[in-house]
Amino acid sequence: MKVDFYGHVRQYNNIKNEIDANLQEVIQSGQFVTGPMLKRFEGEFAAYSGTKHAIGVGNGTDAIWLVLMALGVGPGDECITNANTFFATAEAIWIAGATTVLVDCDPKTKCIDPAKIEAAITPKTKAIIPVHLYGQCADMKAIRKIADQHKLLVVEDNAQGIGAHGDGFRIAQWSDATATSFIIQKNLGTFGDGGAVVTNNSALDARLRQLRNHGSTARNVHSFGFNSRLDDIHAAILSAKLKHIDAWNDLRRKWSARYTAGLKGVKHLTLPYEAPGGRHIFHLYVVETKDAAKRDGFLKYLNDTGIDAKTHYSIAIHRQAGYPWGKPARIAGALANAEYNAAACISLPMFPELTAQEADYVIEKVLQWDKAQ
Ligand SMILES: *Cc1c(COP(=O)(O)O)cnc(C)c1O
């Protein structure tokens, strides 16, 4: 049996008529860039996020650095983020010209450990950028408190958590802005690249609309800016998909619960932890080998049995080869949990369109591996 990692084509075929109708609407309107479909999706996405504004941009990485730039974070400033995140979080801070400061994660949730943030703060610190890693909310209550005490900005990297919530809080509720990605493999994904910022700050909204579009406020009127817009074609796909995101996330939760129940007895793996009171939407279902040295063998075994498991992310950011402009990340404290995560993580296939047969095949093969150790 073969089990894929993604279900992009299955998902499209399930709602083909809705997506095709929206695409036709854009094509027949003749308006492809900052047109009515983008406006419509921005309205829908702001409503879904519970924010006043949503600004579509080119991708999730741009969403982060455009926010930092619009908020005046740049050279000489420091931004604190997870040591264990996709490289783009750190990269976006560098693109804005600021210094990336890496803090270790909580060993259970894998989100940034709030207890370790305080020690990383210096007079140069301007922002905390928590990542809702794998689809689980960072501890925004604790992070907001630290930010208030030190007068710091909070920018959420929500590339992986659309539809998640924390214990008594929503994403985007307690931050200055929230950046998200719509690249195809994210829970809400377009057929290519896309991203957005959501915020309640109207001045920031206006600044971002200008920055994403050559600094333009009106035809032929420009100040400094960029070209980073969400195309109407992508907005059309996302508008159709947004109606299904909660049901799709429910399915991810269903498959995750099936994995966790089926794998309950394993001796050589640690299964994902769900913090009580929140809604983890399992962008990724990540297990860790208790012995990090066994990870690569486990991955090969899964791939050899037809299961397209992957690692997210097997080289920690501070272990990557090149830093831009000779500006390494500042490492705040030991990053032992992040390093262990990089060495031991395996993501099992996780997408709404999985079948019970596929999930059970994954369980069967993982149990066989566990027994053989
Ligand atoms: C995907 C991702 C990004 C970047 O998004 P792109 O749209 O690929 O630029 C940033 N941060 C995290 C945590 C991500 O998973």
Side-chain angles (χ1 to χ4, degrees):
M1 190 168 187
K2 229 181 126 283
V3 186
D4 291 337
F5 195 78
Y6 299 115
H8 306 323
V9 178
R10 287 185 196 174
Q11 183 167 85
Y12 168 66
N13 286 326
N14 284 345
I15 60 160
K16 184 176 186 303
N17 292 342
E18 295 158 59
I19 289 177
D20 289 358
N22 275 7
L23 287 172
Q24 275 304 312
E25 197 178 321
V26 172
I27 294 163
Q28 298 303 336
S29 79
Q31 292 178 272
F32 298 95
V33 181
T34 60
M37 188 59 87
L38 175 62
K39 206 166 176 200
R40 181 168 111 193
F41 174 66
E42 286 177 336
E44 291 166 349
F45 193 60
Y48 181 81
S49 306
T51 54
K52 277 194 212 149
H53 310 285
I55 306 98
V57 297
N59 56 68
T61 310
D62 287 5
I64 300 169
W65 66 256
L66 282 164
V67 164
L68 294 178
M69 205 173 278
L71 291 171
V73 178
D77 299 332
E78 292 185 344
C79 299
I80 292 171
T81 193
N82 290 48
N84 60 323
T85 173
F86 179 53
F87 191 73
T89 317
E91 188 182 33
I93 297 167
W94 284 314
I95 293 170
T99 299
T100 303
V101 177
L102 299 173
V103 167
D104 207 4
C105 63
D106 177 279
K108 279 156 85 181
T109 65
K110 311 302 171 193
C111 292
I112 194 166
D113 184 346
K116 293 179 180 165
I117 291 176
E118 202 120 30
I121 295 171
T122 72
K124 290 180 174 175
T125 308
K126 282 283 151 60
I128 305 172
I129 309 184
V131 183
H132 304 308
L133 202 74
Y134 305 154
Q136 174 151 253
C137 281
D139 185 350
M140 292 303 296
K141 256 183 227 170
I143 291 166
R144 182 73 258 170
K145 213 167 139 192
I146 296 165
D148 287 344
Q149 276 163 3
H150 296 269
K151 300 200 164 42
L152 303 176
L153 298 162
V154 179
V155 179
E156 291 168 79
D157 178 344
N158 190 33
Q160 303 190 1
I162 291 177
H165 65 69
D167 186 5
F169 65 88
R170 281 185 294 101
I171 288 172
Q173 185 179 341
W174 284 341
S175 59
D176 296 276
T178 298
T180 199
S181 165
F182 302 127
I183 192 171
I184 179 67
Q185 64 262 36
K186 299 292 160 70
N187 287 31
L188 181 64
T190 186
F191 299 158
D193 280 298
V197 176
V198 294
T199 182
N200 288 317
N201 179 336
S202 298
L204 177 61
D205 171 68
R207 184 86 189 99
L208 285 169
R209 283 178 193 286
Q210 219 180 321
L211 274 180
R212 75 170 176 183
N213 192 26
H214 307 292
S216 181
T217 45
R219 186 164 179 80
N220 295 328
V221 181
H222 299 273
S223 62
F224 180 71
F226 305 89
N227 177 351
S228 182
R229 299 168 298 226
L230 180 68
D231 292 322
D232 283 56
I233 285 285
H234 292 304
I237 295 158
L238 293 165
S239 174
K241 285 191 172 190
L242 184 62
K243 296 177 179 68
H244 300 277
I245 187 67
D246 288 339
W248 287 337
N249 284 336
D250 283 341
L251 284 168
R252 286 174 182 269
R253 289 180 54 76
K254 174 179 137 180
W255 299 126
S256 297
R258 195 175 182 105
Y259 278 162
T260 297
L263 298 175
K264 203 172 58 205
V266 290
K267 291 198 175 64
H268 301 279
L269 296 171
T270 307
L271 304 180
Y273 171 78
E274 260 191 275
R279 173 174 159 88
H280 189 328
I281 47 89
F282 290 95
H283 170 59
L284 297 169
Y285 185 95
V286 180
V287 302
E288 287 172 330
T289 52
K290 288 185 181 166
D291 177 358
K294 291 194 168 168
R295 194 270 307 277
D296 290 350
F298 180 41
L299 180 63
K300 184 173 183 311
Y301 162 88
L302 289 172
N303 293 163
D304 287 349
T305 58
I307 296 167
D308 187 16
K310 297 181 188 297
T311 54
H312 299 82
Y313 305 91
S314 60
I315 306 173
I317 291 165
H318 60 290
R319 300 279 181 208
Q320 298 287 355
Y323 288 117
W325 308 297
K327 283 204 302 189
R330 184 162 75 72
I331 294 165
L335 302 180
N337 296 327
E339 296 209 345
Y340 173 71
N341 183 240
C345 64
I346 298 254
S347 308
L348 300 179
M350 176 49 60
F351 53 92
E353 300 76 18
L354 268 175
T355 65
Q357 239 183 342
E358 288 169 332
D360 290 345
Y361 179 74
V362 173
I363 292 167
E364 182 194 319
K365 291 295 155 192
V366 173
L367 289 176
Q368 272 175 20
W369 175 85
D370 191 73
K371 228 174 171 180
Q373 299 315 298

